[in-house]
């Protein structure tokens, strides 16, 4: 199992480095996760971002504020609960979203080179199962 986790971590780390090279200099690779999340779900709450990305709420607050300052996001009060903010992409955020999606597609092509279409489909299916299992585990508070 150590080799499996090592492989997953190496792929993830390599993807981050690839994104760093592909993204405009004002955007860091780790920010792409936030941009994908918010642009994919405009109006998501900060709590929703924390849940979707498996990060703590204080990190989300800092990162959203940073991306808001950079003109990538805008926040709006909930209207009913002053503690809740909804996060929306700006036009700049949507432009970056498309850049990130294109870079992710290129990365998928790079790492799946040599696989048949059927193998790619099976890989996607299997990694989706792994993801769903991770979500179930995290939603259960990290306990079985």
């Amino acid at each position: 199992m150590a080799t499996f986790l090592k492989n997953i971590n190496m792929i993830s780390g390599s993807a981050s480095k690839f994104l760093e090279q592909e993204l405009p200099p004002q955007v860091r690779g780790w920010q792409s996760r936030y941009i994908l999340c918010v642009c994919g779900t405009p109006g998501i709450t900060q709590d929703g971002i924390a849940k979707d990305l498996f990060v703590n709420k204080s990190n989300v607050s800092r990162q959203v504020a940073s991306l808001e300052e950079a003109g990538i996001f805008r926040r709006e009060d909930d209207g009913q609960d002053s503690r809740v903010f909804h996060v929306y992409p700006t036009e700049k955020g949507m432009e970056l979203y498309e850049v990130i999606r294109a870079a992710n597609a290129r990365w998928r092509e790079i790492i799946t080179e040599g696989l048949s279409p059927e193998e790619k489909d099976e890989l996607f299916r299997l990694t989706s199962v792994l993801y769903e299992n991770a979500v179930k585990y995290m939603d259960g508070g990290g306990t079985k």
Side-chain angles (χ1 to χ4, degrees):
M1 191 55 124
T3 301
F4 172 77
L5 292 177
K6 176 184 171 193
N7 291 346
I8 295 291
N9 286 330
M10 290 297 292
I11 293 167
S12 177
S14 298
S16 293
K17 286 182 180 183
F18 177 81
L19 275 176
E20 289 282 336
Q21 295 169 356
E22 296 290 307
L23 296 178
Q26 73 270 22
V27 179
R28 306 295 299 163
W30 57 266
Q31 291 173 320
S32 66
R33 296 176 60 212
Y34 287 86
I35 295 169
L36 289 171
C37 181
V38 170
C39 292
T41 316
I44 190 170
T45 63
Q46 290 186 187
D47 285 351
I49 295 169
K51 184 176 183 206
D52 284 1
L53 299 182
F54 301 115
V55 294
N56 67 49
K57 293 176 187 180
S58 62
N59 281 348
V60 170
S61 183
R62 281 192 303 275
Q63 301 314 327
V64 167
S66 172
L67 291 164
E68 184 178 33
E69 188 176 305
I72 296 168
F73 291 163
R74 65 181 171 80
R75 286 187 281 189
E76 290 183 11
D77 290 339
D78 180 63
Q80 295 181 1
D81 187 340
S82 62
R83 297 168 297 172
V84 176
F85 291 96
H86 295 271
V87 184
Y88 297 89
T90 63
E91 185 176 325
K92 180 179 179 180
M94 289 306 295
E95 290 169 5
L96 288 169
Y97 177 64
E98 294 305 325
V99 170
I100 293 165
R101 290 185 62 200
N104 282 340
R106 281 193 301 281
W107 180 245
R108 269 191 309 279
E109 287 304 313
I110 290 167
I111 65 170
T112 59
E113 184 179 341
L115 297 179
S116 70
E118 296 79 17
E119 289 170 326
K120 289 178 184 182
D121 289 345
E122 182 66 3
L123 179 63
F124 178 74
R125 187 189 72 74
L126 291 171
T127 56
S128 294
V129 170
L130 296 178
Y131 172 79
E132 291 301 324
N133 287 340
V135 168
K136 279 192 274 187
Y137 180 82
M138 296 307 289
D139 283 347
T143 60
K144 283 245 170 195

